[in-house]
């Protein structure tokens, strides 16, 4: 009785239904039916290809773990650094006249001209209060006296230069969600598209609303034109320590005196405000002059000297990271408009936030890296393992760069060769791909788990994952706490939305790297957010993926690769990341990795003299050939030029001798498909258990037990074969030599258990003739095939029906069943094909040839390891193919020939005879 265990596996959801680990018998049969239906249609090119990667790389059951929700408060932290500067009046009231920025617990940054009004110095600052003249948010406010005013030593009230000052507070503020110091942008150069002017508009006649207005950076030369007549304030014009910003479209203009010109920068999934400038002069909108701001980067040393604080971005941003905004959506909308009256409920409502949806976070698994070996390894850029001996990267990464090693999960491989895309131009980003061939002399075990499959971007997918490197203290989840000093570099993922090609082209139109714009082989991802400097340094050549797994997902397989990073300032934040669309280059990759032949791209010529089907012709390299249908010829033997015998009918090509199926044999081969239809299982039958009946009875009625007579009444059944017509059985030559090199005496068909072979169901028929392939070599297993001619014909019934012969010379079914005979019973096991190239390079089958094939156990063990994959001589590899009339036909694809017992026990693929290689020879005996 054949028995199939419940397999524990899964394949990509888009292709297959997932099987559950534990299911009832009824559920199991339905699940298997669905999987079987879809599996049975897949065939793999014999030469190997990346297109079937997701089939070959089995997946474990996809356990979607539930990630604990993180609770984040919804009240605003956007303006927690903003303070109002006030003057105490005679009656004790305070008049608020300027804005400032809290940059330390005891210091406020403002404009120097804000430190005196009508000869009087300010006395008070107030933080945490957005509505200065209302009581609704007073409970969050902190008001403090000013202990000291420190103006820049070169400031002059009659001049616009060095207009910056620090206010030392009488006592430090208490850092809270509403009162938190900002950081300072220390770099003189930046490429932000817009900055925000933030503060109160003290020039209004009503209660001053808080605002945050986006402004454009104005060119210095243009700005000088506006202020050319203001000789008193700008005796030396607009200098490099100043900058201009404005927006001609705005019609309502805030008076942002003393307030910050700022940018929110992202790190640790939190937004930190960075002050770029301090408002000094002008109203930055409408047709008036642009605003002039003091550029803070030029005053960092002075500020640090006064405050005794370090404002290096990495140190500053970690001081109060736990109090920062977590996401733009979590800021109260009423507090974000330019002129909306703010309100805050003060109620600490919360929402569920999944850390996996963070824009930037630590990646749990180190990916492939390319580097230069030495005393200290210098890792240059990223890569992706796309075949067991090939890594994919950006050509820009390795062009004219000395590299010699690739690292994947601390498994170091030496680089044997780098192959650049033939159309790559180092001056642009087009065709920016390179394949790295790895040295594999050590014959590593066939490791399925190291390969990422190439996939196309789903049209509905709006977010992708790219990668970079960054310090942990800028990329933790923000809950580690303040003052994190762990600056060790970690591998990062950036979750970014796709950017429309036209918008990406517009962004880079002046860069020269996309001269013809973004084309169909590229795509861009982009976030409007900018990062804290040093948060994420891009690694060109890193993969772009379409998913992220939960942190506790134990699936050992890498995700599919959608793209390769080509150009990515700050990992795609603020400026788009340009990536190469890998699926567009799959054909080129196949030609390099698998040396695949695409008959549609090979040069095609018509013979001078047109020839009909089966005529002799001159094939490649003046070799003798025969005119046959192109599907009946092995494409790999057509050479670099396909010669057509005629172009008036179906594609008839000149195929080298021994590389085709003879037309004369086709009627014999198709007889199996047409003559026994009423005995074949229908689609509805397979819904009840795949290749098994409900009671476990075999649905492999072509399976034959082969026996040797011991005496008149006793027979030893040593191996098995496959019935291919009424009086012909196909097996291996090694099977027929099982007993002292004697040819077998009898076969039995119709019963799967030796103990019941005499109960009446089995047909036992004498073997008339054993024909082994003429060049069979018992040592190398070459030509390991044999035909048994029977004394009488098999009586066809539901338990005894011939199998058909697989005859596609160029493709082989991915999934099939091995029927195994252990000298007692027949059992069936799910198996899948292994490409010859991979089997030869990564297993012990180093002498594998084109007339042989490899298969392996389709399922994994519950612990995720390879399951045993042993077999016996003559065991068939049978693929069930569904026909248009819903009838399932069994096709014999291969016959087990050899497998080391110790290695097959650990899951290594076994070696089999490829049926298609012997079609013409088999036909002679049918």
């Amino acid at each position: 009785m054949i028995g199939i265990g419940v397999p524990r596996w899964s394949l990509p959801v888009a292709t297959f239904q997932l099987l559950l680990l534990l299911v009832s018998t009824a559920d199991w049969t339905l699940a298997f039916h669905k999987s079987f239906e879809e599996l049975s249609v897949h065939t793999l090119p014999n030469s190997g290809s990346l297109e079937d990667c997701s089939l070959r790389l089995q997946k474990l059951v996809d356990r979607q773990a539930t990630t604990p929700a993180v609770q984040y408060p919804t009240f605003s932290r956007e303006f927690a650094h903003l303070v109002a500067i006030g003057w105490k009046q005679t009656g004790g009231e305070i008049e608020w006249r300027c804005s400032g920025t809290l940059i330390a617990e005891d210091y406020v940054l403002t404009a120097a001209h804000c430190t005196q009004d009508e000869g009087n110095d300010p006395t008070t600052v107030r933080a945490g209060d957005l509505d200065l003249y209302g009581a609704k948010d007073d409970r969050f406010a902190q008001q403090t006296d000013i202990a000291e005013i420190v103006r820049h030593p070169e400031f002059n009230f009659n001049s616009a230069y060095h207009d910056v000052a620090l206010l030392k507070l009488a006592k430090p503020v208490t850092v809270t969600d509403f009162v938190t110091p900002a950081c300072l942008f220390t770099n003189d150069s930046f490429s932000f598209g817009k900055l925000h002017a933030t503060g109160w508009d003290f020039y209004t006649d009503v209660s001053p609303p808080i605002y945050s207005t986006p402004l454009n950076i104005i060119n210095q030369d243009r700005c000088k034109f506006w202020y050319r007549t203001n000789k008193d304030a700008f005796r030396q014009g607009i200098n490099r320590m100043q900058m201009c910003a404005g927006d001609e479209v705005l019609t309502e203009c805030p008076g942002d005196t003393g307030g910050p010109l700022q940018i929110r920068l992202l790190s640790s999934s939190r937004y930190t405000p960075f002050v770029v400038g301090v408002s000094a002069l002008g109203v930055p909108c409408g047709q008036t002059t642009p605003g002039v701001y003091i550029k803070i980067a030029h005053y960092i040393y002075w500020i640090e000297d006064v405050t005794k604080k370090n404002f290096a971005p990495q140190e500053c941003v970690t001081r109060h990271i736990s109090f920062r905004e977590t996401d733009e959506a979590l800021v109260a909308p009423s507090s974000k408009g330019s002129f909306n009256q703010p309100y805050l409920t003060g109620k600490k409502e919360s929402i569920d936030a999944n850390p996996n949806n963070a824009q930037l976070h630590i990646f749990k698994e180190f990916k492939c890296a390319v580097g230069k070996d030495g005393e200290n390894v210098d890792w240059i850029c990223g890569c992706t393992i796309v075949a067991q001996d090939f890594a994919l990267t950006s050509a820009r990464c390795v062009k004219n760069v000395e590299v010699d090693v690739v690292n994947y999960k601390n498994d170091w491989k030496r680089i044997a060769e780098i192959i650049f895309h033939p159309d790559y131009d180092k001056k642009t980003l087009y065709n920016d791909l390179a394949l790295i061939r790895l040295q594999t002399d050590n014959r590593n075990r066939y490791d399925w788990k190291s390969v990422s499959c190439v996939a196309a971007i789903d049209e509905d997918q709006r977010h992708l994952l790219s990668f970079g490197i960054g310090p942990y203290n800028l990329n933790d989840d923000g809950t580690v706490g303040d003052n994190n000093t762990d600056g060790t570099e970690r591998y990062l993922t950036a979750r970014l939305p796709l950017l429309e090609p036209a918008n990406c082209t517009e962004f880079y139109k002046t860069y020269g790297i996309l001269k013809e714009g973004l084309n169909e082989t590229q795509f861009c991802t982009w976030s409007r957010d900018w990062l804290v400097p040093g948060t994420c340094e891009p690694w060109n050549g890193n993969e772009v993926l379409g998913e992220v797994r939960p942190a506790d997902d134990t699936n050992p397989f890498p995700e599919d690769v959608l793209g390769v990073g080509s150009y990515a300032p700050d990992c795609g934040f603020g400026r788009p990341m340009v990536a190469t669309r890998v699926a567009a280059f799959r054909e080129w990759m196949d030609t390099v990795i698998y040396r695949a032949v695409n008959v549609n791209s090979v040069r095609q010529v018509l013979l001078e003299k047109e020839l009909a089907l089966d005529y002799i012709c001159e094939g490649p390299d003046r070799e003798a050939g025969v005119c046959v249908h192109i599907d009946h010829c092995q494409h790999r033997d057509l050479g670099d030029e396909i010669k057509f015998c005629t172009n008036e009918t179906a594609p008839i090509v000149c195929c080298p001798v021994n590389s085709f199926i003879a037309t004369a044999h086709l009627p014999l081969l198709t007889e199996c498909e047409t003559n026994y239809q009423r005995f074949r299982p229908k689609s509805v039958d397979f819904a009840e258990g795949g290749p098994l009946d409900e009671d476990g009875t075999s649905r492999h009625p072509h399976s034959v037990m082969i026996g040797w007579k011991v005496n008149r009444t006793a027979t030893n059944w040593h191996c098995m074969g496959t019935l291919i017509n009424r009086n012909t059985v196909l097996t291996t030559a090694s099977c027929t030599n099982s007993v002292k090199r004697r040819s077998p005496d009898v076969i039995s068909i119709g019963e799967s258990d030796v103990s019941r072979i005499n109960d009446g169901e089995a047909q036992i028929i004498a073997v008339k003739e054993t024909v082994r392939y003429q060049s069979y070599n018992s040592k190398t297993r070459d030509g390991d095939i044999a035909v048994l001619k029977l004394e009488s014909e098999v009586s066809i019934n539901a338990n005894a029906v011939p199998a058909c012969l697989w005859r596609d010379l160029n493709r082989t079914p991915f999934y099939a069943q091995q029927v195994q005979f252990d000298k007692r019973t027949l059992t069936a096991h799910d198996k899948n094909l292994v490409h010859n190239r991979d089997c030869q390079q990564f297993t012990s089958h180093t002498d594998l040839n084109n007339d042989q094939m490899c298969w392996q156990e389709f399922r994994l063990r519950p612990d995720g390891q390879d399951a045993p994959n042993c077999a016996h001589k003559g065991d068939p590899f049978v693929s069930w193919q569904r026909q248009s009339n819903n009838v399932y036909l069994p096709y014999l694809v291969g016959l087990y020939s050899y497998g080391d017992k110790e290695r097959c026990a650990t899951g290594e693929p076994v070696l089999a005879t490829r049926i298609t290689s012997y079609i013409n020879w088999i036909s002679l005996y049918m």
Side-chain angles (χ1 to χ4, degrees), residues 333-394:
S334 59
S335 301
K336 295 184 60 182
S338 294
F339 288 94
N340 289 335
Q341 178 71 17
Y343 71 92
L344 292 168
T345 63
K347 183 180 179 182
K348 291 189 176 182
E349 298 175 339
S350 61
I351 64 170
D352 291 341
N354 188 338
N356 288 323
N357 290 329
Q359 285 186 279
L360 194 64
H361 62 87
I362 300 292
F363 191 59
K364 67 182 178 63
E365 179 179 283
F366 189 82
K367 307 295 284 185
C368 172
V370 185
K372 172 64 179 172
D373 197 3
E375 185 176 346
N376 294 307
V377 180
D378 184 15
W379 298 112
I380 307 298
C381 54
C383 59
T384 308
I385 302 295
V386 291
Q388 279 71 18
D389 57 341
F390 274 91
L392 179 68
T393 189
S394 160

Side-chain angles (χ1 to χ4, degrees), residues 229-482:
T229 59
N230 192 340
K231 300 297 184 181
D232 293 332
F234 296 96
R235 296 181 181 276
Q236 302 170 20
I238 305 295
N239 66 23
R240 66 183 182 86
M241 292 180 284
Q242 297 168 315
M243 59 184 295
C244 297
D247 193 330
E248 295 180 359
V249 176
L250 291 176
T251 57
E252 296 183 76
C253 309
D256 60 338
T257 183
L261 184 66
Q262 66 179 45
I263 182 84
R264 290 193 317 161
L265 301 181
L266 179 66
S267 70
S268 298
S269 300
R270 309 293 178 106
Y271 296 101
T272 299
F274 275 75
V275 180
V276 179
V278 172
S279 175
L281 185 67
V283 181
C285 69
Q287 297 303 314
T288 58
T289 58
V292 178
Y293 295 83
I294 300 301
K295 211 171 186 179
I296 289 300
H298 293 282
Y299 298 91
I300 293 296
Y301 294 136
W302 173 74
I303 294 173
E304 290 183 335
D305 183 59
V306 173
T307 62
K308 309 305 180 188
K309 290 282 187 181
N310 183 349
F311 285 94
Q314 185 166 334
E315 181 167 332
C316 178
V317 79
T318 59
R319 284 182 199 142
H320 309 295
I321 192 67
S322 62
F323 293 94
R324 302 299 184 187
E325 287 181 88
T326 55
D327 187 272
E328 188 178 44
L330 303 182
V331 179
S334 59
S335 301
K336 295 184 60 182
S338 294
F339 288 94
N340 289 335
Q341 178 71 17
Y343 71 92
L344 292 168
T345 63
K347 183 180 179 182
K348 291 189 176 182
E349 298 175 339
S350 61
I351 64 170
D352 291 341
N354 188 338
N356 288 323
N357 290 329
Q359 285 186 279
L360 194 64
H361 62 87
I362 300 292
F363 191 59
K364 67 182 178 63
E365 179 179 283
F366 189 82
K367 307 295 284 185
C368 172
V370 185
K372 172 64 179 172
D373 197 3
E375 185 176 346
N376 294 307
V377 180
D378 184 15
W379 298 112
I380 307 298
C381 54
C383 59
T384 308
I385 302 295
V386 291
Q388 279 71 18
D389 57 341
F390 274 91
L392 179 68
T393 189
S394 160
R396 296 176 68 243
C397 292
V398 290
K399 190 72 172 179
N400 301 322
V401 177
E402 192 175 353
V403 293
D404 57 12
V405 67
V406 164
N407 184 345
Y408 179 80
K409 292 185 176 180
N410 290 325
D411 183 12
W412 290 39
K413 293 283 192 287
R414 290 287 170 182
I415 294 175
E417 180 185 9
I418 299 177
I419 304 98
F420 297 92
H421 190 278
D423 296 326
Y424 169 63
D425 179 359
K426 65 180 181 180
K427 296 180 181 179
T428 71
L429 299 181
Y430 303 119
N431 308 302
D432 185 15
L433 286 182
L435 281 165
I436 301 173
R437 186 167 63 84
L438 308 174
Q439 293 182 8
T440 55
D441 296 339
N442 55 351
R443 299 291 176 192
N444 287 343
R445 260 287 290 127
Y446 199 75
D447 182 11
W448 296 116
K449 302 176 183 62
S450 65
V451 176
S452 291
C453 295
V454 173
I457 299 176
D458 191 300
E459 292 182 359
D460 297 329
Q461 188 146 26
R462 303 312 305 164
H463 287 81
L464 299 175
L465 296 179
S466 59
F467 296 85
I469 295 290
Y472 177 66
N473 55 3
L474 296 186
N475 293 284
D476 56 41
D477 62 3
T479 62
V480 173
D482 299 337

